[in-house]
Amino acid sequence: MATPQEFLFRIKRQDSPDTAPYWEQFRMPYAPGHNVVSALMYLREHPVNSAGNKVAPVVWECNCMEEVCGACAMLVNGVPRQACAALLDGLPQPIVLEPLSKFRVVRDLQIDRSRMFEALKKVKAWIRLDHGGDIHRHAPLISPDEQDARYLFSRCMTCGCCMEACPQFHQNSTFIGPAPLAQVRLHNSHPTGAYDKEERLHAIMGEGGITDCGNAQNCVQVCPKEIPLTTAIGELGRQTTAQWLRDLFAR
Amino acid sequence: MADKPNVIVVGGGLGGLWATMRVAEAGFPVDLFSLFPVKRSHSCCAQGGINACLDVKGEHDTVWQHIVDTIKGGDYLAEQPPIRSMCEQAPGLIRTYDRMGVTFSRTPEGGMDQRLFGGVKKRRTAFAGATTGQQLLYAIDEQVRRHEDEGRVRKYEGWEFLSAVLDSEGVCRGVCAMDLETMEVRTFQAEAVIVATGGMGLMWGRSTMSTNSTGAAASRLYQQGCQFGNPEFAQFHPTAMLGHDKLRLMSEACRGEGGRIWVPREPGDKRDPLSIPEKERFYFLEEWYPTYGNTVPRDVASRAIFRAVRHMGLGVGGENTVFLDLTHHTRKFLEQRLGGILDMYQTFSGEDPYTRPMKVYPSMHYTMGGLLVGYEKDDATGAMKEGSARNHATSIPGLYACGECDNAYHGANRLGANSLLSASFSGRVAGEAAATFLKGKKTRSEVPTSTFEAEQARQVKLNEKLLTSRGKENPFALHRELGEIMQERVFVERNNEDLDKAVDGIRKLRERFNDVSLDDLGMRANQSLSWARQIHDMIVLAEVIAKAARMRDECRGSHYKAEFELKVPEGKFAGSPEYEEYRARWKSNNETWLKTTVATNTPDGPSIEYKPIDISVLPPEAPRDYR
Ligand SMILES: Cc1cc2nc3c(=O)[nH]c(=O)nc-3n(C[C@H](O)[C@H](O)[C@H](O)COP(=O)(O)OP(=O)(O)OC[C@H]3O[C@@H](n4cnc5c(N)ncnc54)[C@H](O)[C@@H]3O)c2cc1C
Ligand code: SF4
């Protein structure tokens, strides 16, 4: 592929949550090794659109720049992914950047994912410790296989890509979405985390819970951490059914 | 909750979250501030692991050895009683993490596994796959989320700490912070404030750290009178891959597995590395250090690379780059041994490290220095007194610091995998100290509202000044220039002439900052405003670092000035007259320099003083010797 002279960006901008979005184009001289975050850094130092007008720098969020903090997820050429890991070399131009569409836009590419963090509360995505002091005991033993399986889910960085891809999750739906569901799978599989299994399952058995999953399988395809979300949802389907039966007989 | 005595924690990495949990458990409400959701904090970047003597490998590892390694690793510059406490309590801390459900890698028996890490002979490092920091952060984040859900913690995520609110006596009464969405500036009252705002790598422009690691918060406190300890001590990592946005750590394991460092012998050679014949390559580590070759310790490797590139002009293609070459290994071998690391290189560089040499250069990596914190010594144990309100207290009453932004535990250099430990441990200790500080208080202190109003007005004015200044300087460009000065003159190898120039250059940047203008003048999610403020404060703190480095005329840990190097007499060991003469010179140098650097802000710039260190645990008898 011939090396281009420059990069051309088409960026969807929005000044605030309640104003209309608009598109703006920017150019950046070519240099090898750029990614979307480093390009946005260049543009904030040189905030001139392709019409030659000085404009306010594009707002976006990033922290680690190593694809582990989850902050910089956005749509790059229509695909939800981490901007820091999206190398410009090889991306078709113009490079189109948009905020994830399923969340409130704070400004430009910055979004508010607090709904995901609230969901983590709803499903009690934690292990209940008596306290954080030393009790001179470890957690119960966990087999390497089980730990490897748990590790797949414990790397979820709450980036929201899977939520973006899910047709059932949007601003007008109550569906909790794939990422918080996977955290139920994670915590239910821990020997002491399992003590609160029932409560977690109840949290996903009602409205907006697991039965709202339409099985589109989009989530698992976009997860940058390759988290087996659909496998987790399948397992939870079985767990909730069993719980439903237990509830029935307990009545 | 309104008038119950409360604590404010600033920063939600490992340090801040541990502090939050311990204060909440002690029954005091916590307001937790962070630039963004705490789950995204820089702590998630750590890959390697966390140290604690659990001796799961049956190697007779001892807590004492961990203490010795930490003290010696830091070249004796850290206060020793806190190190003793940290190492003694590390196993308990790891057990607690285990109870929180951290996915620590397991042995076949289902217990925690441990592995070897730099500078240590026993397997003492617990790890969770290749994402230990992320796993630890998430575990403590979950605990704090539970406290939040149950009403003990209130989060202010997306708020930037601007300053402490100090009363007329200089006592900390709360914080002033800015909502990064609405740009609203507000003050918040607290009985105690704990800052845990992390490392300070961005003063070097780019580093292995995250965007939250600016040091701005620490700088703001320094400017308000908080003492700063050991500013000149910063650790550099020899092999980071270059990026326009950040320098990404390429693990030591690459050299450990046979990676070879080289440059073309011909300066400025622009040929494809694969077409450069063997005899035209300069494997300088192998030539200069025949015994260790490519596996020399971090600081030696960093300085050698610097020498080859900066003194000899041999950087690849004339740039600040050397090759780290693994291409002599088979793909299968590399996938097994270094798969995760090499995949990361490929993701972020787009180049295939299995078939092409990687391009690396030393990078700023960790700040040992930070806000100066104290402790109370327990004379019965020689360690830190459990639960004392003086532990991790800064020089400002009511203000505590923990995590990478404090100066404790690591002295002149940090041992690998010891900082996830110190961040967690210090957070726990600071939280417990603040709880003791509040003990017995039933209601909030009466503080005149004018105290809060004055601080708020001061901060609003700083914003207004930046938003109305129409000068010719671009703050982002100033940040780049600051990075260039630090990279060039306050780096792996230092000399006084360069450091003088650095201090001078940084002062000029500070003047030029008065002439900035922002490209965003709005009052909604104005990142330019927030960044400009942080850049100003980085410039201020950078001067402190450069000046302290200028004044310390010796080599200690990460701080190296060739002119003052005490060389071990070759082939001589304890007992020989040459070695004993060397030991005597080393001891007399310690008389002068084995002291904590204490920087205080004055109208004329940083004032630098030195404070003796408690070396009662392991008095320095022999220099570090890695022969
Ligand atoms: C690439 C890399 C790899 C590493 N690997 C290891 C390893 O393997 N083992 C090891 O022991 N150590 C490792 N370290 C070091 C270790 O990760 C850090 O020292 C540690 O995580 C720091 O934790 P912290 O809590 O002090 O700060 P951080 O995790 O940096 O958290 C800082 C917090 O402060 C907040 N904050 C900052 N400024 C403000 C402000 N003005 N207002 C409000 N909030 C603010 C941020 O929002 C954030 O929540 C590594 C470091 C790097 C760079
Ligand atoms: S499951 Fe994957 S895509 Fe979804 S939030 Fe977690 S890391 Fe992101």
Side-chain angles (χ1 to χ4, degrees):
Chain A
M1 199 171 59
T3 307
Q5 293 289 308
E6 58 179 12
F7 291 113
L8 180 63
F9 296 92
R10 240 184 123 230
I11 301 180
K12 190 177 186 183
R13 309 198 58 175
Q14 189 172 335
D15 296 340
S16 70
D18 35 53
T19 55
Y22 57 96
W23 291 90
E24 198 151 53
Q25 299 215 35
F26 294 90
R27 289 171 202 285
M28 177 176 93
Y30 177 84
H34 268 293
N35 59 50
V36 169
V37 164
S38 66
L40 289 168
M41 285 177 166
Y42 174 88
L43 293 177
R44 77 179 174 192
E45 196 179 327
H46 307 94
V48 179
N49 66 17
S50 36
N53 298 323
K54 210 161 201 194
V55 293
V58 175
V59 167
W60 88 101
E61 215 184 337
C62 74
N63 192 38
C64 75
M65 298 171 279
E66 295 188 1
E67 212 180 20
V68 283
C69 79
C72 68
M74 60 180 73
L75 292 169
V76 179
N77 285 350
V79 180
R81 58 188 298 195
Q82 305 309 115
C84 66
L87 295 191
L88 300 194
D89 285 308
L91 277 185
Q93 297 209 39
I95 296 163
V96 183
L97 305 180
E98 297 166 77
L100 295 188
S101 67
K102 304 282 180 82
F103 302 92
R104 184 179 74 99
V105 171
V106 173
R107 186 176 168 187
D108 295 340
L109 303 171
Q110 188 184 357
I111 48 163
D112 170 9
R113 281 163 283 194
S114 46
R115 186 172 164 190
M116 290 183 76
F117 293 107
E118 287 305 314
L120 292 177
K121 288 186 203 154
K122 185 167 180 223
V123 301
K124 312 239 175 280
W126 51 69
I127 288 169
R128 214 145 32 88
L129 290 203
D130 185 27
H131 59 81
D134 183 24
I135 58 167
H136 311 281
R137 251 202 346 257
H138 278 272
L141 300 181
I142 299 177
S143 79
D145 285 349
E146 181 52 38
Q147 194 73 315
D148 288 350
R150 298 188 67 244
Y151 184 64
L152 295 176
F153 299 104
S154 66
R155 291 168 311 133
C156 169
M157 53 189 179
T158 324
C159 68
C161 289
C162 58
M163 315 286 269
E164 177 72 14
C166 171
Q168 299 300 105
F169 177 87
H170 47 82
Q171 291 193 12
N172 302 319
S173 87
T174 54
F175 182 42
I176 192 165
L181 286 175
Q183 293 305 298
V184 175
R185 153 69 177 84
L186 172 68
H187 290 90
N188 281 1
S189 67
H190 189 271
T192 51
Y195 295 171
D196 295 319
K197 186 172 173 178
E198 200 175 308
E199 218 180 325
R200 282 189 212 102
L201 292 176
H202 282 148
I204 59 166
M205 282 163 72
E207 203 206 327
I210 186 164
T211 50
D212 285 9
C213 168
N215 207 17
Q217 317 239 350
N218 292 0
C219 54
V220 69
Q221 284 164 33
V222 297
C223 173
K225 295 288 147 186
E226 295 170 12
I227 296 176
L229 294 158
T230 44
T231 314
I233 293 172
E235 281 179 42
L236 289 176
R238 289 189 288 280
Q239 288 186 22
T240 45
T241 309
Q243 184 60 42
W244 184 80
L245 288 170
R246 274 198 298 276
D247 291 346
L248 199 68
F249 290 116
R251 254 197 266 156
Chain B
M1 201 153 129
D3 44 61
K4 245 189 135 180
N6 67 323
V7 172
I8 284 178
V9 175
V10 183
L14 292 181
L17 291 174
W18 267 91
T20 301
M21 180 178 72
R22 291 309 269 168
V23 174
E25 285 178 350
F28 298 106
V30 185
D31 298 308
L32 173 58
F33 287 75
S34 166
L35 296 166
F36 37 68
V38 292
K39 191 176 178 180
R40 310 206 189 285
S41 299
H42 166 65
S43 290
C44 70
C45 283
Q47 303 171 347
I50 177 165
N51 287 338
C53 171
L54 299 168
D55 198 31
V56 300
K57 294 309 215 186
E59 296 174 329
H60 307 287
D61 190 21
T62 59
V63 168
W64 174 246
Q65 195 55 47
H66 188 189
I67 296 171
V68 170
D69 290 339
T70 304
I71 292 175
K72 287 194 174 172
D75 227 346
Y76 295 95
L77 197 70
E79 296 281 345
Q80 297 184 356
I83 291 181
R84 161 163 252 160
S85 296
M86 176 176 82
C87 298
E88 283 175 352
Q89 295 180 38
L93 202 83
I94 302 295
R95 285 192 288 267
T96 310
Y97 270 130
D98 194 19
R99 284 159 53 217
M100 291 177 190
V102 173
T103 50
F104 284 118
S105 298
R106 301 278 144 176
T107 67
E109 297 175 37
M112 287 182 49
D113 201 2
Q114 290 198 291
R115 68 175 169 207
L116 213 53
F117 223 72
V120 168
K121 295 197 182 70
K122 301 282 167 68
R123 280 177 280 186
R124 193 185 292 148
T125 304
F127 60 104
T131 60
T132 311
Q134 188 191 32
Q135 301 306 315
L136 299 180
L137 180 70
Y138 290 3
I140 183 80
D141 171 62
E142 289 165 2
Q143 293 302 317
V144 168
R145 185 166 297 105
R146 180 182 142 223
H147 285 293
E148 184 193 9
D149 191 45
E150 294 171 4
R152 288 177 289 268
V153 172
R154 185 157 164 182
K155 283 185 187 157
Y156 291 86
E157 292 174 324
W159 283 77
E160 179 174 345
F161 165 87
L162 300 178
S163 61
V165 176
L166 306 181
D167 68 14
S168 53
E169 245 82 276
V171 176
C172 180
R173 298 300 190 176
V175 304
C176 184
M178 175 160 71
D179 180 338
L180 294 172
E181 189 172 330
T182 63
M183 310 318 277
E184 178 199 5
V185 172
R186 254 178 77 186
T187 54
F188 300 82
Q189 187 176 352
E191 300 302 310
V193 173
I194 304 175
V195 282
T197 47
M200 311 173 192
L202 267 64
M203 274 182 274
W204 278 260
R206 291 164 300 168
S207 73
T208 60
M209 294 191 205
S210 307
T211 56
N212 80 236
S213 315
T214 62
S219 172
R220 289 164 189 169
L221 290 164
Y222 163 79
Q223 291 170 65
Q224 288 187 285
C226 193
Q227 290 182 330
F228 199 95
N230 290 337
E232 66 272 42
F233 291 95
Q235 185 179 77
F236 302 91
H237 196 282
T239 56
M241 65 178 280
L242 303 159
H244 298 282
D245 48 347
K246 103 174 272 195
L247 309 174
R248 296 177 178 88
L249 182 86
M250 289 315 296
S251 161
E252 229 122 55
C254 295
R255 288 188 293 133
E257 296 292 356
R260 301 178 76 187
I261 302 269
W262 64 277
V263 288
R265 285 196 185 271
E266 183 65 30
D269 191 335
K270 291 226 169 17
R271 281 178 294 173
D272 184 315
L274 297 178
S275 71
I276 301 178
E278 199 65 17
K279 64 175 194 317
E280 291 172 38
R281 300 176 175 193
F282 182 23
Y283 294 95
F284 53 91
L285 288 178
E286 296 167 35
E287 258 178 53
W288 292 343
Y289 306 98
T291 325
Y292 283 95
N294 291 293
T295 57
V296 290
R298 273 187 196 183
D299 54 333
V300 178
S302 295
R303 288 198 295 272
I305 294 172
F306 188 80
R307 207 170 308 143
V309 171
R310 306 300 312 217
H311 296 198
M312 303 169 70
L314 290 175
V316 174
E319 314 260 327
N320 284 348
T321 308
V322 301
F323 289 124
L324 169 55
D325 197 341
L326 285 159
T327 58
H328 50 286
H329 285 307
T330 62
R331 181 173 284 270
K332 189 157 166 256
F333 174 88
L334 292 176
E335 270 170 6
Q336 271 169 5
R337 301 299 185 92
L338 299 167
I341 297 162
L342 299 185
D343 289 350
M344 165 163 153
Y345 185 85
Q346 186 143 21
T347 301
F348 287 98
S349 71
E351 292 207 344
D352 178 10
Y354 294 92
T355 56
R356 300 187 62 79
M358 297 185 276
K359 290 183 194 153
V360 297
Y361 195 65
S363 166
M364 166 47 188
H365 181 51
Y366 183 85
T367 28
M368 278 77 72
L371 296 169
L372 185 77
V373 291
Y375 61 95
E376 183 176 352
K377 185 176 177 180
D378 186 337
D379 286 320
T381 61
M384 208 160 37
K385 188 159 183 189
E386 285 280 306
S388 163
R390 278 164 53 196
N391 297 340
H392 280 270
T394 68
S395 62
I396 294 181
L399 179 71
Y400 292 81
C402 62
E404 197 174 330
C405 74
D406 75 27
N407 79 314
Y409 306 104
H410 307 294
N413 217 340
R414 164 190 76 109
L415 223 54
N418 244 5
S419 49
L420 290 176
L421 172 63
S422 65
S424 310
F425 176 72
S426 64
R428 205 195 83 193
V429 171
E432 290 166 1
T436 307
F437 186 71
L438 261 64
K439 213 172 185 163
K441 284 209 170 105
K442 292 277 175 285
T443 53
R444 290 194 185 193
S445 308
E446 300 272 335
V447 183
T449 49
S450 58
T451 305
F452 293 96
E453 286 162 6
E455 188 55 34
Q456 184 176 353
R458 188 171 78 96
Q459 296 302 333
V460 167
K461 213 159 147 199
L462 282 175
N463 281 354
E464 279 167 1
K465 194 172 154 212
L466 281 167
L467 289 167
T468 50
S469 158
R470 304 306 311 136
K472 58 180 189 313
E473 301 288 353
N474 179 321
F476 298 104
L478 291 182
H479 178 227
R480 245 185 325 100
E481 284 186 48
L482 174 68
E484 279 157 20
I485 294 176
M486 297 300 278
Q487 284 276 351
E488 186 73 27
R489 309 196 188 279
V490 195
F491 203 48
V492 297
E493 195 185 289
R494 303 167 174 185
N495 66 67
N496 285 341
E497 199 188 317
D498 270 351
L499 290 165
D500 280 332
K501 285 188 189 148
V503 172
D504 213 47
I506 296 166
R507 285 212 185 123
K508 288 201 180 100
L509 287 181
R510 196 167 170 179
E511 274 162 35
R512 282 170 56 198
F513 190 88
N514 290 326
D515 210 17
V516 291
S517 86
L518 305 186
D519 292 317
D520 189 346
L521 304 176
M523 283 306 266
R524 209 190 140 71
N526 185 339
Q527 295 179 332
S528 300
L529 174 62
S530 154
W531 254 104
R533 293 187 64 130
Q534 300 200 32
I535 289 162
H536 171 269
D537 297 319
M538 282 192 255
I539 295 174
V540 174
L541 195 54
E543 183 184 338
V544 183
I545 294 172
K547 181 158 181 204
R550 167 65 183 83
M551 289 180 62
R552 187 174 279 273
D553 280 338
E554 67 156 352
C555 295
R556 187 177 297 277
S558 64
H559 174 75
Y560 177 86
K561 285 183 181 173
E563 201 186 333
F564 301 97
E565 190 174 7
L566 292 176
K567 284 215 166 77
V568 196
E570 238 170 87
K572 306 290 177 197
F573 293 89
S576 77
E578 291 91 340
Y579 185 92
E580 292 309 324
E581 193 259 341
Y582 157 70
R583 189 206 297 265
R585 273 193 296 143
W586 179 76
K587 283 196 163 180
S588 99
N589 179 65
N590 279 345
E591 296 283 317
T592 323
W593 288 115
L594 185 51
K595 287 179 187 144
T596 302
T597 311
V598 181
T600 316
N601 189 31
T602 78
D604 308 323
S607 123
I608 306 282
E609 283 162 316
Y610 299 94
K611 190 166 93 70
I613 298 167
D614 185 324
I615 45 173
S616 56
V617 178
L618 183 73
E621 282 305 324
R624 286 193 312 161
D625 193 345
Y626 287 122
R627 283 180 298 178

